[in-house]
């Protein structure tokens, strides 16, 4: 079976663009936090500059930084799974991508506002959405190759 990329794949592309922009916004929040808490490069929250801030500010900065780092750790896998799933079922993949973004927003908001314990509100949504993308891609690839 040949994969034909139809106009519905645009939904997948929109989801990928949304995830990319959200990741960029999360990274830019670290830049704002660096200015706010006076933690300059190359300090990532554990060096000389961070030694000069209060414990409260150090935790606040690191919550923002960790949110960005976590996104950067996952964005590659999520985008690959999104595009692969979208080759077969673009609207379904896009909906999982949008759900991932909602989970990512809840994760970041919880982490920044309430610390690591509050990330739990978004983490399951992100995890299930990502797993759904991987399963969608895998199932469709399997059924169109091995079972074809």
């Amino acid at each position: 079976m040949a994969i034909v990329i139809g106009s519905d794949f645009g939904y997948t592309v929109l989801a990928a663009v949304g995830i990319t922009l959200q990741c960029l916004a999360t990274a830019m929040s670290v830049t704002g936090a660096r200015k706010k808490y006076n933690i300059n490069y190359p300090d990532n929250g554990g060096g000389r500059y961070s030694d000069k801030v209060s414990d409260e500010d150090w935790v606040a900065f690191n919550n923002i930084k960790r949110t960005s780092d976590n996104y950067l750790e996952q964005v590659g896998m999520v985008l690959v799974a999104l595009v692969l799933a979208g080759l077969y079922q673009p609207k379904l993949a896009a909906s999982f991508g949008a759900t991932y973004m909602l989970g990512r927003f809840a994760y970041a908001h919880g982490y920044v506002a309430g610390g690591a314990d509050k990330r739990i509100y978004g983490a399951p949504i992100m995890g299930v959405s990502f797993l759904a993308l991987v399963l969608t891609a895998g199932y469709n690839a399997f059924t169109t190759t091995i079972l074809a």
Side-chain angles (χ1 to χ4, degrees), residues 20-121:
T20 301
L21 290 174
Q22 187 181 42
C23 185
L24 177 62
T26 304
M28 290 174 63
S29 70
V30 176
T31 301
R34 284 186 180 285
K35 291 178 183 175
K36 179 178 180 179
Y37 300 113
N38 199 28
I39 299 177
N40 299 313
Y41 292 103
D43 197 326
N44 278 323
R48 290 182 181 189
Y49 293 111
S50 60
D51 287 343
K52 298 174 183 176
V53 299
S54 69
D55 287 347
E56 183 178 315
D57 287 351
W58 180 85
V59 169
F61 172 78
N62 276 282
N63 286 348
I64 294 167
K65 179 77 169 90
R66 186 64 204 126
T67 299
S68 175
D69 289 349
N70 183 264
Y71 211 148
L72 292 170
E73 291 163 2
Q74 294 184 14
V75 72
M77 296 181 296
V78 171
L79 289 175
V80 167
L82 174 65
V83 170
L84 293 177
L87 290 173
Y88 295 99
Q89 293 179 287
K91 288 183 178 178
L92 181 64
S95 68
F96 291 144
T99 304
Y100 179 85
M101 287 177 61
L102 290 172
R104 178 55 69 181
F105 176 81
Y107 176 94
H109 180 71
Y111 208 137
V112 171
D117 292 342
K118 301 296 182 193
R119 65 188 169 167
I120 192 66
Y121 299 115

